[in-house]
Amino acid sequence: MGTSLINPIAFSIGALQVHWYGLILGTGALVGLLLLIREGRRFGIPQEFFMDLVLFGVPSAIIAARIYYVAFRWPDYRDNLWDVFKIWNGGIAIYGALIGSVICAIIYTRKKGYSFWRIMDLCAPYLLVGQAIGRWGNFVNQEAYGGPVEESFLRSNLHLPDFIVNQMNVNGVFHHPTFLYESLWNLVGVIVLCVLRRRAFVRSGEIFFSYLIWYGIGRFFIEALRTDSLTFEGPQWLVAIVNGLWTPMTWFGFQQGAIEPGYGNIRVSQLLSLVLIIAAILLMIIRRRAGLANEHYSDPIVSSKVAQHELVTDHDTTTGSSSVPTVDSSSSSKDRHDLKKEDTIHNERKE
């Protein structure tokens, strides 16, 4: 029996139905933005910069997240193309959202003259805030849960409140609340990143890399508990590596959730998590050795375009440049000479 206790529709305005899923995602983005603006004030960055960044970044993230999800679930959509646009029913991938938002940030920061790495360092903790809140949209939609589990595990071992336990009862079977595991992991990550950014040894870009590492570790282990993972067909040696790295979870009594047949044998998010963790570590090492990460988190963040404008303004002030037109003295002398010459010729003719 289906036992979803929460109506996914928050309210209706005429024929328009407003879903909790969208409201929760919007709340996550808003809370993250407000905290980001507050942090940006410490560096003198105007709040309009971050508001525009989110204005462009959120749609980019949603579009990329949906494309990412649909690409790995194409058999479900090729005969129902209209369903591609029904994002209120769920079906967006966080890694797709991350890809879309990073591409947007690269373009936007370059346009505004800011360092991409410095801005992403500011954003990193609040990306986790948004993700932690956003996962509760999965809770309302009764999706992104893990494999079957005993009700006693949820109540006695995890001591979860009734509203979570009951919502994890899907068609009479209780499931791991993986949305909750990831939400809590992200909240702990916020604390870790906020502590790290106060440390003198951290260089530019490394808070963002730490975000990729922290989120990647949590996502790698939590993803395997789920039963709705995006997958692809890969070689058996790669399957063995991924499963081998996940083995420590079995020591705590966890078992992998079943993979839906017909889509593949490797979970995309697990493999991508490993790739991002390795890439983040390598980039930190390479950027330090190449001297590309000399700035610290607490160093000033200045737009190159703003700095250039101020330099030109200061130069004009120093040299006394004015918009009032000046008279060319050599040209004036020549004009006076010609006028005098014409007067002499005119007088001779009169005589």
Side-chain angles (χ1 to χ4, degrees):
M1 60 177 178
T3 54
S4 178
L5 302 178
I6 303 175
N7 187 344
I9 300 173
F11 57 88
S12 299
I13 304 176
L16 177 64
Q17 295 180 331
V18 180
H19 290 243
W20 280 112
Y21 188 78
L23 289 176
I24 292 172
L25 291 184
T27 300
L30 179 60
V31 172
L33 171 62
L34 293 176
L35 293 173
L36 179 57
I37 289 174
R38 180 181 178 183
E39 181 67 11
R41 288 199 192 104
R42 297 180 55 237
F43 296 88
I45 302 176
Q47 69 177 26
E48 291 77 15
F49 171 83
F50 296 112
M51 293 175 69
D52 288 344
L53 177 60
V54 171
L55 181 64
F56 293 118
V58 169
S60 301
I62 293 175
I63 292 172
R66 188 59 171 174
I67 292 174
Y68 182 99
Y69 182 87
V70 171
F72 287 102
R73 291 281 182 169
W74 181 240
D76 296 342
Y77 294 96
R78 60 187 173 195
D79 297 326
N80 304 283
L81 294 181
W82 180 245
D83 289 346
V84 170
F85 302 98
K86 296 180 179 179
I87 62 172
W88 53 84
N89 291 330
I92 61 175
I94 286 183
Y95 271 136
L98 179 61
I99 293 170
S101 59
V102 166
I103 292 174
C104 177
I106 291 173
I107 297 172
Y108 183 74
T109 53
R110 179 172 296 183
K111 179 179 175 64
K112 295 297 183 178
Y114 285 101
S115 164
F116 166 76
W117 299 113
R118 299 299 308 279
I119 296 300
M120 291 309 294
D121 281 344
L122 294 182
C123 293
Y126 311 118
L127 288 174
L128 285 177
V129 170
Q131 291 172 223
I133 295 173
R135 273 303 176 196
W136 287 86
N138 300 132
F139 166 73
V140 173
N141 275 2
Q142 217 174 38
E143 63 185 6
Y145 48 76
V149 67
E150 294 295 330
E151 180 180 0
S152 59
F153 175 80
L154 301 178
R155 295 189 184 278
S156 302
N157 292 39
L158 299 183
H159 304 287
L160 298 179
D162 287 343
F163 78 96
I164 293 180
V165 174
N166 294 335
Q167 187 71 356
M168 288 298 98
N169 181 354
V170 183
N171 296 322
V173 179
F174 290 91
H175 292 264
H176 275 290
T178 47
F179 84 91
L180 179 63
Y181 301 159
E182 188 170 321
S183 181
L184 293 176
W185 177 262
N186 289 340
L187 289 177
V188 174
V190 173
I191 298 173
V192 171
L193 294 186
C194 287
V195 171
L196 274 179
R197 70 187 185 185
R198 306 300 182 192
R199 297 295 178 263
F201 62 83
V202 177
R203 307 290 180 83
S204 66
E206 293 179 354
I207 297 298
F208 178 60
F209 293 140
S210 298
Y211 156 79
L212 294 177
I213 294 170
W214 180 269
Y215 181 71
I217 291 173
R219 185 62 185 268
F220 175 81
F221 287 106
I222 295 171
E223 182 68 22
L225 297 173
R226 291 172 55 170
T227 59
D228 63 344
S229 298
L230 299 177
T231 57
F232 73 97
E233 194 67 31
Q236 287 302 313
W237 62 265
L238 186 56
V239 175
I241 291 176
V242 173
N243 289 340
L245 292 172
W246 195 83
T247 299
M249 291 290 285
T250 62
W251 304 342
F252 301 97
F254 289 96
Q255 298 296 325
Q256 292 196 29
I259 291 179
E260 293 184 63
Y263 292 98
N265 57 357
I266 297 177
R267 301 172 196 266
V268 179
S269 291
Q270 276 194 297
L271 185 60
L272 187 54
S273 293
L274 293 177
V275 171
L276 290 177
I277 292 169
I278 294 171
I281 295 173
L282 289 177
L283 282 172
M284 280 196 285
I285 296 173
I286 292 171
R287 293 185 77 247
R288 283 207 176 205
R289 289 186 175 179
L292 301 175
N294 296 324
E295 293 179 296
H296 296 79
Y297 182 87
S298 59
D299 289 345
I301 301 177
V302 180
S303 167
S304 59
K305 293 190 176 182
V306 172
Q308 184 178 11
H309 175 73
E310 291 177 348
L311 182 63
V312 172
T313 302
D314 291 343
H315 175 73
D316 290 345
T317 303
T318 303
T319 57
S321 298
S322 173
S323 58
V324 178
T326 57
V327 178
D328 187 339
S329 58
S330 61
S331 176
S332 300
S333 299
K334 185 176 182 300
D335 290 343
R336 287 194 299 270
H337 175 73
D338 292 342
L339 183 60
K340 184 176 181 181
K341 184 176 180 181
E342 289 177 1
D343 289 342
T344 303
I345 294 173
H346 178 70
N347 291 333
E348 288 176 350
R349 287 177 178 175
K350 285 180 69 177
E351 293 173 357

